[in-house]
mmCIF file of all heavy atoms in Angstrom:
data_model
loop_
_atom_site.group_PDB
_atom_site.id
_atom_site.type_symbol
_atom_site.label_atom_id
_atom_site.label_comp_id
_atom_site.label_asym_id
_atom_site.label_seq_id
_atom_site.Cartn_x
_atom_site.Cartn_y
_atom_site.Cartn_z
ATOM 1 N N SER U 174 90.987 -104.845 41.898
ATOM 2 C CA SER U 174 90.123 -105.349 40.855
ATOM 3 C C SER U 174 88.705 -104.778 41.089
ATOM 4 O O SER U 174 88.385 -104.223 42.149
ATOM 5 C CB SER U 174 90.052 -106.902 40.934
ATOM 6 O OG SER U 174 89.452 -107.288 42.165
ATOM 7 N N ARG U 175 87.850 -104.905 40.093
ATOM 8 C CA ARG U 175 86.457 -104.491 40.274
ATOM 9 C C ARG U 175 85.848 -105.200 41.483
ATOM 10 O O ARG U 175 85.148 -104.542 42.266
ATOM 11 C CB ARG U 175 85.642 -104.801 39.011
ATOM 12 C CG ARG U 175 85.706 -103.804 37.919
ATOM 13 C CD ARG U 175 84.611 -104.038 36.914
ATOM 14 N NE ARG U 175 84.818 -103.228 35.720
ATOM 15 C CZ ARG U 175 85.486 -103.610 34.676
ATOM 16 N NH1 ARG U 175 86.016 -104.798 34.642
ATOM 17 N NH2 ARG U 175 85.634 -102.813 33.618
ATOM 18 N N GLU U 176 86.083 -106.489 41.579
ATOM 19 C CA GLU U 176 85.454 -107.234 42.651
ATOM 20 C C GLU U 176 85.902 -106.723 44.038
ATOM 21 O O GLU U 176 85.104 -106.545 44.929
ATOM 22 C CB GLU U 176 85.813 -108.732 42.569
ATOM 23 C CG GLU U 176 85.162 -109.585 43.671
ATOM 24 C CD GLU U 176 85.422 -111.055 43.484
ATOM 25 O OE1 GLU U 176 86.117 -111.425 42.507
ATOM 26 O OE2 GLU U 176 84.925 -111.837 44.310
ATOM 27 N N ARG U 177 87.201 -106.410 44.135
ATOM 28 C CA ARG U 177 87.718 -105.898 45.419
ATOM 29 C C ARG U 177 87.108 -104.554 45.748
ATOM 30 O O ARG U 177 86.732 -104.269 46.893
ATOM 31 C CB ARG U 177 89.207 -105.793 45.396
ATOM 32 C CG ARG U 177 89.775 -105.198 46.707
ATOM 33 C CD ARG U 177 91.237 -105.360 46.806
ATOM 34 N NE ARG U 177 91.742 -104.758 48.030
ATOM 35 C CZ ARG U 177 93.021 -104.776 48.395
ATOM 36 N NH1 ARG U 177 93.923 -105.409 47.669
ATOM 37 N NH2 ARG U 177 93.405 -104.182 49.521
ATOM 38 N N LEU U 178 86.944 -103.703 44.724
ATOM 39 C CA LEU U 178 86.345 -102.386 44.952
ATOM 40 C C LEU U 178 84.868 -102.538 45.317
ATOM 41 O O LEU U 178 84.382 -101.826 46.231
ATOM 42 C CB LEU U 178 86.514 -101.511 43.699
ATOM 43 C CG LEU U 178 87.923 -101.065 43.400
ATOM 44 C CD1 LEU U 178 87.969 -100.399 42.018
ATOM 45 C CD2 LEU U 178 88.492 -100.138 44.445
ATOM 46 N N LEU U 179 84.163 -103.429 44.669
ATOM 47 C CA LEU U 179 82.757 -103.655 45.038
ATOM 48 C C LEU U 179 82.596 -104.108 46.477
ATOM 49 O O LEU U 179 81.745 -103.603 47.201
ATOM 50 C CB LEU U 179 82.145 -104.668 44.088
ATOM 51 C CG LEU U 179 81.751 -104.178 42.695
ATOM 52 C CD1 LEU U 179 81.378 -105.337 41.790
ATOM 53 C CD2 LEU U 179 80.640 -103.170 42.763
ATOM 54 N N ILE U 180 83.472 -105.044 46.873
ATOM 55 C CA ILE U 180 83.385 -105.553 48.256
ATOM 56 C C ILE U 180 83.695 -104.457 49.258
ATOM 57 O O ILE U 180 83.004 -104.285 50.267
ATOM 58 C CB ILE U 180 84.377 -106.721 48.444
ATOM 59 C CG1 ILE U 180 83.891 -107.941 47.640
ATOM 60 C CG2 ILE U 180 84.472 -107.106 49.921
ATOM 61 C CD1 ILE U 180 84.872 -109.083 47.620
ATOM 62 N N ALA U 181 84.772 -103.654 48.965
ATOM 63 C CA ALA U 181 85.208 -102.629 49.890
ATOM 64 C C ALA U 181 84.222 -101.480 50.003
ATOM 65 O O ALA U 181 83.988 -100.956 51.093
ATOM 66 C CB ALA U 181 86.586 -102.111 49.468
ATOM 67 N N ILE U 182 83.637 -101.050 48.882
ATOM 68 C CA ILE U 182 82.816 -99.840 48.878
ATOM 69 C C ILE U 182 81.322 -100.183 48.914
ATOM 70 O O ILE U 182 80.553 -99.528 49.663
ATOM 71 C CB ILE U 182 83.089 -99.000 47.605
ATOM 72 C CG1 ILE U 182 84.589 -98.714 47.499
ATOM 73 C CG2 ILE U 182 82.322 -97.703 47.653
ATOM 74 C CD1 ILE U 182 85.202 -97.997 48.679
ATOM 75 N N TRP U 183 80.891 -101.176 48.169
ATOM 76 C CA TRP U 183 79.464 -101.480 48.104
ATOM 77 C C TRP U 183 79.063 -102.624 49.059
ATOM 78 O O TRP U 183 77.885 -102.814 49.333
ATOM 79 C CB TRP U 183 79.041 -101.826 46.704
ATOM 80 C CG TRP U 183 78.854 -100.626 45.837
ATOM 81 C CD1 TRP U 183 77.664 -99.963 45.608
ATOM 82 C CD2 TRP U 183 79.852 -99.865 45.123
ATOM 83 N NE1 TRP U 183 77.884 -98.881 44.781
ATOM 84 C CE2 TRP U 183 79.205 -98.808 44.480
ATOM 85 C CE3 TRP U 183 81.206 -100.015 44.918
ATOM 86 C CZ2 TRP U 183 79.869 -97.853 43.639
ATOM 87 C CZ3 TRP U 183 81.913 -99.095 44.163
ATOM 88 C CH2 TRP U 183 81.226 -98.049 43.534
ATOM 89 N N GLY U 184 80.022 -103.446 49.470
ATOM 90 C CA GLY U 184 79.738 -104.492 50.435
ATOM 91 C C GLY U 184 79.547 -105.840 49.769
ATOM 92 O O GLY U 184 79.273 -105.964 48.572
ATOM 93 N N MET U 185 79.695 -106.916 50.579
ATOM 94 C CA MET U 185 79.579 -108.293 50.063
ATOM 95 C C MET U 185 78.212 -108.597 49.495
ATOM 96 O O MET U 185 78.027 -109.457 48.653
ATOM 97 C CB MET U 185 79.915 -109.289 51.175
ATOM 98 C CG MET U 185 81.358 -109.329 51.535
ATOM 99 S SD MET U 185 82.406 -110.026 50.227
ATOM 100 C CE MET U 185 81.742 -111.688 50.175
ATOM 101 N N ASP U 186 77.175 -107.938 49.990
ATOM 102 C CA ASP U 186 75.786 -108.250 49.638
ATOM 103 C C ASP U 186 75.327 -107.523 48.387
ATOM 104 O O ASP U 186 74.194 -107.692 47.962
ATOM 105 C CB ASP U 186 74.849 -107.927 50.781
ATOM 106 C CG ASP U 186 75.146 -108.750 52.048
ATOM 107 O OD1 ASP U 186 75.654 -109.877 51.865
ATOM 108 O OD2 ASP U 186 74.930 -108.251 53.134
ATOM 109 N N TYR U 187 76.210 -106.684 47.772
ATOM 110 C CA TYR U 187 75.787 -105.949 46.576
ATOM 111 C C TYR U 187 75.494 -106.938 45.412
ATOM 112 O O TYR U 187 76.303 -107.795 45.102
ATOM 113 C CB TYR U 187 76.935 -105.009 46.175
ATOM 114 C CG TYR U 187 76.635 -104.236 44.892
ATOM 115 C CD1 TYR U 187 75.720 -103.149 44.923
ATOM 116 C CD2 TYR U 187 77.236 -104.568 43.714
ATOM 117 C CE1 TYR U 187 75.464 -102.421 43.762
ATOM 118 C CE2 TYR U 187 76.940 -103.822 42.539
ATOM 119 C CZ TYR U 187 76.060 -102.786 42.605
ATOM 120 O OH TYR U 187 75.817 -102.078 41.448
ATOM 121 N N GLU U 188 74.372 -106.724 44.773
ATOM 122 C CA GLU U 188 73.932 -107.638 43.702
ATOM 123 C C GLU U 188 73.712 -106.904 42.378
ATOM 124 O O GLU U 188 73.191 -107.460 41.438
ATOM 125 C CB GLU U 188 72.651 -108.389 44.108
ATOM 126 C CG GLU U 188 72.826 -109.290 45.326
ATOM 127 C CD GLU U 188 71.544 -109.977 45.695
ATOM 128 O OE1 GLU U 188 70.506 -109.652 45.069
ATOM 129 O OE2 GLU U 188 71.614 -110.868 46.605
ATOM 130 N N GLY U 189 74.123 -105.643 42.338
ATOM 131 C CA GLY U 189 73.924 -104.877 41.096
ATOM 132 C C GLY U 189 75.006 -105.115 40.065
ATOM 133 O O GLY U 189 75.822 -106.039 40.216
ATOM 134 N N ASP U 190 75.011 -104.318 39.022
ATOM 135 C CA ASP U 190 75.965 -104.423 37.932
ATOM 136 C C ASP U 190 77.362 -103.992 38.407
ATOM 137 O O ASP U 190 77.524 -102.913 38.937
ATOM 138 C CB ASP U 190 75.498 -103.538 36.769
ATOM 139 C CG ASP U 190 76.360 -103.712 35.517
ATOM 140 O OD1 ASP U 190 77.392 -104.400 35.607
ATOM 141 O OD2 ASP U 190 75.982 -103.168 34.478
ATOM 142 N N GLU U 191 78.367 -104.869 38.212
ATOM 143 C CA GLU U 191 79.720 -104.529 38.640
ATOM 144 C C GLU U 191 80.302 -103.349 37.852
ATOM 145 O O GLU U 191 81.249 -102.696 38.287
ATOM 146 C CB GLU U 191 80.646 -105.731 38.491
ATOM 147 C CG GLU U 191 80.902 -106.171 37.087
ATOM 148 C CD GLU U 191 81.975 -107.294 37.039
ATOM 149 O OE1 GLU U 191 82.223 -107.916 38.058
ATOM 150 O OE2 GLU U 191 82.493 -107.519 35.952
ATOM 151 N N ARG U 192 79.686 -103.028 36.696
ATOM 152 C CA ARG U 192 80.188 -101.897 35.915
ATOM 153 C C ARG U 192 79.914 -100.543 36.576
ATOM 154 O O ARG U 192 80.401 -99.518 36.130
ATOM 155 C CB ARG U 192 79.573 -101.903 34.510
ATOM 156 C CG ARG U 192 79.724 -103.216 33.752
ATOM 157 C CD ARG U 192 81.165 -103.528 33.449
ATOM 158 N NE ARG U 192 81.730 -102.616 32.458
ATOM 159 C CZ ARG U 192 82.908 -102.787 31.903
ATOM 160 N NH1 ARG U 192 83.664 -103.839 32.260
ATOM 161 N NH2 ARG U 192 83.368 -101.915 31.010
ATOM 162 N N THR U 193 79.145 -100.602 37.646
ATOM 163 C CA THR U 193 78.913 -99.362 38.385
ATOM 164 C C THR U 193 80.220 -98.781 38.916
ATOM 165 O O THR U 193 80.351 -97.594 39.096
ATOM 166 C CB THR U 193 77.930 -99.570 39.576
ATOM 167 O OG1 THR U 193 77.568 -98.306 40.106
ATOM 168 C CG2 THR U 193 78.570 -100.444 40.679
ATOM 169 N N VAL U 194 81.246 -99.649 39.104
ATOM 170 C CA VAL U 194 82.542 -99.181 39.511
ATOM 171 C C VAL U 194 83.130 -98.261 38.461
ATOM 172 O O VAL U 194 83.617 -97.151 38.772
ATOM 173 C CB VAL U 194 83.493 -100.382 39.764
ATOM 174 C CG1 VAL U 194 84.894 -99.860 40.102
ATOM 175 C CG2 VAL U 194 82.971 -101.238 40.890
ATOM 176 N N ASP U 195 83.039 -98.684 37.179
ATOM 177 C CA ASP U 195 83.522 -97.841 36.090
ATOM 178 C C ASP U 195 82.850 -96.483 36.077
ATOM 179 O O ASP U 195 83.478 -95.448 35.885
ATOM 180 C CB ASP U 195 83.318 -98.581 34.758
ATOM 181 C CG ASP U 195 84.094 -99.839 34.644
ATOM 182 O OD1 ASP U 195 84.880 -100.153 35.559
ATOM 183 O OD2 ASP U 195 83.900 -100.561 33.660
ATOM 184 N N THR U 196 81.545 -96.495 36.219
ATOM 185 C CA THR U 196 80.775 -95.288 36.155
ATOM 186 C C THR U 196 81.188 -94.306 37.252
ATOM 187 O O THR U 196 81.413 -93.113 36.987
ATOM 188 C CB THR U 196 79.261 -95.583 36.295
ATOM 189 O OG1 THR U 196 78.862 -96.458 35.250
ATOM 190 C CG2 THR U 196 78.465 -94.314 36.234
ATOM 191 N N HIS U 197 81.364 -94.834 38.486
ATOM 192 C CA HIS U 197 81.761 -93.941 39.575
ATOM 193 C C HIS U 197 83.152 -93.410 39.404
ATOM 194 O O HIS U 197 83.423 -92.253 39.718
ATOM 195 C CB HIS U 197 81.600 -94.687 40.888
ATOM 196 C CG HIS U 197 80.195 -94.752 41.432
ATOM 197 N ND1 HIS U 197 79.274 -95.613 40.929
ATOM 198 C CD2 HIS U 197 79.567 -94.033 42.382
ATOM 199 C CE1 HIS U 197 78.122 -95.455 41.555
ATOM 200 N NE2 HIS U 197 78.276 -94.469 42.432
ATOM 201 N N ILE U 198 84.045 -94.258 38.921
ATOM 202 C CA ILE U 198 85.413 -93.792 38.702
ATOM 203 C C ILE U 198 85.478 -92.715 37.626
ATOM 204 O O ILE U 198 86.194 -91.713 37.758
ATOM 205 C CB ILE U 198 86.340 -94.969 38.324
ATOM 206 C CG1 ILE U 198 86.520 -95.912 39.524
ATOM 207 C CG2 ILE U 198 87.713 -94.471 37.845
ATOM 208 C CD1 ILE U 198 87.293 -97.188 39.222
ATOM 209 N N LYS U 199 84.714 -92.912 36.573
ATOM 210 C CA LYS U 199 84.677 -91.914 35.499
ATOM 211 C C LYS U 199 84.201 -90.546 36.016
ATOM 212 O O LYS U 199 84.748 -89.481 35.732
ATOM 213 C CB LYS U 199 83.772 -92.400 34.381
ATOM 214 C CG LYS U 199 83.752 -91.526 33.149
ATOM 215 C CD LYS U 199 82.932 -92.144 32.025
ATOM 216 C CE LYS U 199 82.950 -91.255 30.788
ATOM 217 N NZ LYS U 199 82.184 -91.879 29.665
ATOM 218 N N LYS U 200 83.115 -90.591 36.821
ATOM 219 C CA LYS U 200 82.590 -89.358 37.401
ATOM 220 C C LYS U 200 83.606 -88.699 38.344
ATOM 221 O O LYS U 200 83.771 -87.473 38.381
ATOM 222 C CB LYS U 200 81.298 -89.624 38.162
ATOM 223 C CG LYS U 200 80.118 -89.970 37.214
ATOM 224 C CD LYS U 200 78.868 -90.244 38.015
ATOM 225 C CE LYS U 200 77.680 -90.570 37.104
ATOM 226 N NZ LYS U 200 76.468 -90.890 37.871
ATOM 227 N N LEU U 201 84.252 -89.536 39.134
ATOM 228 C CA LEU U 201 85.237 -89.048 40.137
ATOM 229 C C LEU U 201 86.395 -88.381 39.409
ATOM 230 O O LEU U 201 86.817 -87.267 39.787
ATOM 231 C CB LEU U 201 85.747 -90.202 40.977
ATOM 232 C CG LEU U 201 86.823 -89.869 42.038
ATOM 233 C CD1 LEU U 201 86.314 -88.783 42.989
ATOM 234 C CD2 LEU U 201 87.207 -91.116 42.796
ATOM 235 N N ARG U 202 86.896 -88.989 38.366
ATOM 236 C CA ARG U 202 88.047 -88.407 37.619
ATOM 237 C C ARG U 202 87.603 -87.073 37.015
ATOM 238 O O ARG U 202 88.401 -86.116 36.962
ATOM 239 C CB ARG U 202 88.517 -89.371 36.558
ATOM 240 C CG ARG U 202 89.162 -90.613 37.085
ATOM 241 C CD ARG U 202 89.770 -91.450 35.991
ATOM 242 N NE ARG U 202 90.879 -90.713 35.369
ATOM 243 C CZ ARG U 202 91.237 -90.875 34.100
ATOM 244 N NH1 ARG U 202 90.543 -91.640 33.318
ATOM 245 N NH2 ARG U 202 92.309 -90.230 33.633
ATOM 246 N N ALA U 203 86.411 -87.000 36.476
ATOM 247 C CA ALA U 203 85.895 -85.757 35.838
ATOM 248 C C ALA U 203 85.841 -84.637 36.893
ATOM 249 O O ALA U 203 86.228 -83.511 36.599
ATOM 250 C CB ALA U 203 84.565 -85.998 35.206
ATOM 251 N N LYS U 204 85.385 -84.960 38.096
ATOM 252 C CA LYS U 204 85.257 -83.914 39.126
ATOM 253 C C LYS U 204 86.590 -83.456 39.651
ATOM 254 O O LYS U 204 86.754 -82.300 40.049
ATOM 255 C CB LYS U 204 84.371 -84.441 40.280
ATOM 256 C CG LYS U 204 82.930 -84.610 39.937
ATOM 257 C CD LYS U 204 82.114 -85.087 41.120
ATOM 258 C CE LYS U 204 80.643 -85.241 40.740
ATOM 259 N NZ LYS U 204 79.818 -85.672 41.919
ATOM 260 N N LEU U 205 87.587 -84.367 39.645
ATOM 261 C CA LEU U 205 88.894 -83.981 40.168
ATOM 262 C C LEU U 205 89.734 -83.269 39.105
ATOM 263 O O LEU U 205 90.778 -82.714 39.420
ATOM 264 C CB LEU U 205 89.639 -85.242 40.648
ATOM 265 C CG LEU U 205 89.032 -85.939 41.862
ATOM 266 C CD1 LEU U 205 89.832 -87.175 42.210
ATOM 267 C CD2 LEU U 205 88.886 -85.029 43.043
ATOM 268 N N GLY U 206 89.303 -83.292 37.842
ATOM 269 C CA GLY U 206 90.034 -82.617 36.843
ATOM 270 C C GLY U 206 91.434 -83.210 36.608
ATOM 271 O O GLY U 206 91.590 -84.423 36.572
ATOM 272 N N THR U 207 92.428 -82.383 36.441
ATOM 273 C CA THR U 207 93.790 -82.891 36.193
ATOM 274 C C THR U 207 94.317 -83.750 37.338
ATOM 275 O O THR U 207 95.082 -84.676 37.101
ATOM 276 C CB THR U 207 94.764 -81.685 35.985
ATOM 277 O OG1 THR U 207 94.753 -80.856 37.150
ATOM 278 C CG2 THR U 207 94.404 -80.887 34.760
ATOM 279 N N GLU U 208 93.849 -83.506 38.558
ATOM 280 C CA GLU U 208 94.299 -84.326 39.673
ATOM 281 C C GLU U 208 93.707 -85.711 39.601
ATOM 282 O O GLU U 208 94.201 -86.660 40.246
ATOM 283 C CB GLU U 208 93.918 -83.676 40.998
ATOM 284 C CG GLU U 208 94.744 -82.433 41.313
ATOM 285 C CD GLU U 208 96.232 -82.736 41.374
ATOM 286 O OE1 GLU U 208 96.620 -83.670 42.046
ATOM 287 O OE2 GLU U 208 96.983 -82.011 40.685
ATOM 288 N N GLY U 209 92.661 -85.898 38.813
ATOM 289 C CA GLY U 209 92.074 -87.195 38.624
ATOM 290 C C GLY U 209 92.972 -88.208 37.951
ATOM 291 O O GLY U 209 92.753 -89.391 38.007
ATOM 292 N N ARG U 210 94.015 -87.685 37.314
ATOM 293 C CA ARG U 210 94.953 -88.593 36.614
ATOM 294 C C ARG U 210 95.611 -89.573 37.548
ATOM 295 O O ARG U 210 96.014 -90.665 37.154
ATOM 296 C CB ARG U 210 96.009 -87.773 35.859
ATOM 297 C CG ARG U 210 95.451 -87.003 34.689
ATOM 298 C CD ARG U 210 96.535 -86.139 34.025
ATOM 299 N NE ARG U 210 97.092 -85.214 34.948
ATOM 300 C CZ ARG U 210 98.054 -84.350 34.642
ATOM 301 N NH1 ARG U 210 98.551 -84.321 33.441
ATOM 302 N NH2 ARG U 210 98.499 -83.473 35.539
ATOM 303 N N PHE U 211 95.819 -89.171 38.825
ATOM 304 C CA PHE U 211 96.515 -90.056 39.733
ATOM 305 C C PHE U 211 95.756 -91.352 39.956
ATOM 306 O O PHE U 211 96.319 -92.378 40.250
ATOM 307 C CB PHE U 211 96.740 -89.356 41.077
ATOM 308 C CG PHE U 211 95.707 -89.607 42.125
ATOM 309 C CD1 PHE U 211 95.816 -90.612 43.051
ATOM 310 C CD2 PHE U 211 94.569 -88.814 42.146
ATOM 311 C CE1 PHE U 211 94.807 -90.841 43.970
ATOM 312 C CE2 PHE U 211 93.562 -89.024 43.047
ATOM 313 C CZ PHE U 211 93.679 -90.022 43.980
ATOM 314 N N ILE U 212 94.419 -91.317 39.815
ATOM 315 C CA ILE U 212 93.608 -92.502 40.044
ATOM 316 C C ILE U 212 94.013 -93.601 39.046
ATOM 317 O O ILE U 212 94.213 -94.752 39.428
ATOM 318 C CB ILE U 212 92.113 -92.224 39.920
ATOM 319 C CG1 ILE U 212 91.687 -91.231 41.033
ATOM 320 C CG2 ILE U 212 91.294 -93.498 39.996
ATOM 321 C CD1 ILE U 212 90.255 -90.813 40.913
#
Side-chain angles (χ1 to χ4, degrees):
S174 64
R175 275 195 190 91
E176 182 176 359
R177 178 167 178 179
L178 291 172
L179 282 172
I180 292 173
I182 307 301
W183 280 266
M185 288 292 297
D186 298 329
Y187 178 75
E188 297 180 352
D190 186 351
E191 67 174 17
R192 306 295 291 189
T193 189
V194 175
D195 296 355
T196 301
H197 280 78
I198 291 175
K199 185 174 182 178
K200 290 180 179 179
L201 178 58
R202 292 186 68 209
K204 290 182 179 181
L205 295 179
T207 57
E208 289 301 310
R210 291 177 299 180
F211 93 93
I212 296 176

